[in-house]
Amino acid sequence: MAAIPALDPEAEPSMDVILVGSSELSSPVSPGEGRDLIAYEVKVNQRNIEDICLCCGSLQVHTQHPLFEGGICAPCKDKFLDALFLYDDDGYQSYCSICCSGETLLICGNPDCTRCYCFECVDSLVGPGTSGKVHAMSNWVCFLCLPFSRSGLLQRRRKWRGQLKAFYDRESESPLEMFETVPVWRREPVRVLSLFGDIKKELTSLGFLESGSDPGQLKHLDDVTDTVRKDVEEWGPFDLLYGATPPLGHTCDHPPSWYLFQFHRLLQYVRPGPGSPRPFFWMFVDNLVLNKEDQDVASRFLEMEPTTIPDVRGGSLQNAVRVWSNIPAIRSSRALVSEEELSLLTQNRQSSKLAAKWPTKLVKNCFLPLREYFKYFSTELTSSL
């Protein structure tokens, strides 16, 4: 009886193991272009795959790919950093986990995995025609979930979660460290402290909270004037701190800057101590009520510039928010919206008799990267309306 390969400690357990194209690639007759060149260089020219960019086939390698054995060039490194944690409305990552590009994507069938792979990467690295075989399957388990680490030329790195964190911290322009992603069997339900704006409906629709879940998982506070560190320590610990300014037109008892200062004060109480490996995330949302001076103060206190997330419908700007957050990829969600457009939107809101809606719908999908860190109870995303 053949021995069963031992499970890789970094691999996530899955329902079915489906190996496709894991045998050695045959030597190409002649080199192609781009990624088609990879197999030729490795098989015929005996080039180390670490000296070839897995994403495009370039020989001008900048550093090593964090997830799979192979190199990555400088342009592909930038694209990888921008796209790695971007998610679509269906809850799956927007781009290929190898090249962070690709037009047609294969989705992992493991309900605890959100990764996708493009046809081009699968065919060039695993074997010609493999993408078609995978596409015909009803339940395919991806290369980061398989207990086997090699499929063709595609070799998963050992301890790839740590490699990904090191890659991000070293190569990203973000001043904030990335937390190492958490294997599915170690993920716990997220514990949330929500200030001023309640995001329970949004987190429930994303699967992070069960309907009728333990109220200890989310605590919502509208006024924190009398809240002290001891209170937060008794309620916590928390994994996510959310805060927002009220939308224009809503009656409030405090100036806009009050919400910023109170959020920053409680952030000091909630966040783990220096050097703690426990993933902790925060988000502060301005519904276009902070003036320029307050925005500069927010950027200084929160140690980053804001990202503008617009709501564009019918070619016109309907709403927008400014977001400061350490959740991965939020800075990649930024859109090109001019200050003139935001100023005009603010003026229209101020002159309108209708109060603007709370901004939670606009930032809802920004929470999807947290699926790499915390347990989620449903893979089916629902409307939060």
Side-chain angles (χ1 to χ4, degrees):
M1 182 175 179
I4 299 175
L7 289 176
D8 189 309
E10 283 294 316
E12 297 181 357
S14 54
M15 42 192 175
D16 295 309
V17 173
I18 304 173
L19 284 176
V20 177
S22 58
S23 59
E24 289 296 316
L25 289 168
S26 59
S27 297
V29 175
S30 60
E33 295 182 356
R35 278 177 285 189
D36 291 335
L37 186 65
I38 298 175
Y40 183 87
E41 287 293 331
V42 173
K43 290 296 181 180
V44 177
N45 290 343
Q46 300 295 301
R47 187 183 294 270
N48 190 330
I49 198 169
E50 298 282 16
D51 297 329
I52 308 172
C53 178
L54 284 187
C55 305
C56 70
S58 169
L59 303 181
Q60 303 298 316
V61 169
H62 169 76
T63 187
Q64 266 53 62
H65 196 287
L67 304 180
F68 300 97
E69 291 187 3
I72 188 169
C73 66
C76 290
K77 176 264 296 183
D78 293 337
K79 184 167 60 175
F80 189 94
L81 288 169
D82 284 341
L84 179 62
F85 284 99
L86 291 180
Y87 283 74
D88 283 340
D89 291 339
D90 60 5
Y92 288 92
Q93 293 186 349
S94 303
Y95 299 100
C96 172
S97 292
I98 300 172
C99 68
C100 278
S101 186
E103 295 181 0
T104 307
L105 300 175
L106 299 164
I107 296 174
C108 181
N110 183 347
D112 296 311
C113 181
T114 60
R115 300 180 188 89
C116 305
Y117 300 81
C118 71
F119 277 39
E120 295 83 357
C121 279
V122 172
D123 285 340
S124 63
L125 295 170
V126 180
T130 302
S131 63
K133 297 175 184 177
V134 171
H135 187 59
M137 292 180 174
S138 60
N139 214 13
W140 171 69
V141 178
C142 83
F143 308 110
L144 288 177
C145 292
L146 284 172
F148 306 90
S149 63
R150 176 177 289 278
S151 297
L153 293 179
L154 199 60
Q155 172 75 43
R156 181 178 63 234
R157 290 199 186 277
R158 288 187 56 79
K159 302 187 182 299
W160 59 267
R161 296 180 187 279
Q163 297 276 1
L164 179 61
K165 170 179 166 51
F167 174 88
Y168 186 93
D169 292 344
R170 181 180 67 249
E171 303 292 342
S172 173
E173 295 180 356
S174 171
L176 302 177
E177 269 192 51
M178 170 188 161
F179 291 103
E180 186 171 325
T181 60
V182 178
V184 63
W185 61 89
R186 284 176 42 205
R187 294 175 193 165
E188 299 288 342
V190 65
R191 298 161 295 186
V192 185
L193 179 58
S194 179
L195 310 180
F196 324 129
D198 191 356
I199 55 171
K200 181 176 182 178
K201 188 180 297 184
E202 283 68 31
L203 292 180
T204 301
S205 71
L206 293 175
F208 287 114
L209 300 176
E210 290 183 297
S211 298
S213 61
D214 182 349
Q217 283 185 240
L218 186 145
K219 186 171 185 63
H220 173 231
L221 300 173
D222 275 324
D223 192 343
V224 295
T225 304
D226 298 325
T227 301
V228 296
R229 183 184 294 272
K230 183 179 179 181
D231 297 325
V232 174
E233 291 175 348
E234 289 177 352
W235 299 328
F238 295 102
D239 307 301
L240 172 65
L241 175 66
Y242 174 85
T245 62
L248 286 167
H250 281 249
T251 303
C252 53
D253 299 326
H254 309 284
S257 59
W258 181 89
Y259 298 91
L260 166 64
F261 294 134
Q262 294 298 335
F263 174 85
H264 184 259
R265 180 173 69 88
L266 264 69
L267 178 59
Q268 311 313 306
Y269 301 163
V270 175
R271 67 178 7 149
S276 171
R278 179 169 70 86
F280 171 76
F281 300 96
W282 53 266
M283 179 189 293
F284 182 75
V285 179
D286 169 34
N287 199 30
L288 304 185
V289 299
L290 294 180
N291 60 33
K292 183 62 170 65
E293 183 178 349
D294 291 337
Q295 293 171 43
D296 292 341
V297 171
S299 297
R300 189 170 69 252
F301 279 15
L302 302 176
E303 302 180 68
M304 63 166 55
E305 294 299 317
T307 294
T308 300
I309 301 178
D311 177 13
V312 179
R313 283 172 285 168
S316 62
L317 183 64
Q318 302 294 320
N319 198 4
V321 292
R322 295 186 182 93
V323 179
W324 291 261
S325 179
N326 71 335
I327 296 177
I330 282 189
R331 292 181 63 81
S332 300
S333 304
R334 66 174 63 201
L336 296 177
V337 181
S338 68
E339 285 300 320
E340 289 75 16
E341 290 178 288
L342 293 177
S343 177
L344 182 60
L345 176 64
T346 302
Q347 293 174 19
N348 291 339
R349 291 290 189 194
Q350 290 172 336
S351 61
S352 173
K353 294 183 179 180
L354 295 175
K357 295 182 179 180
W358 279 89
T360 46
K361 183 181 177 182
L362 271 182
V363 300
K364 170 184 169 182
N365 282 4
C366 294
F367 295 114
L368 280 171
L370 299 185
R371 286 188 164 200
E372 293 285 341
Y373 297 91
F374 303 106
K375 181 178 180 180
Y376 50 96
F377 300 94
S378 172
T379 58
E380 297 294 327
L381 302 189
T382 60
S383 171
S384 58
L385 294 177

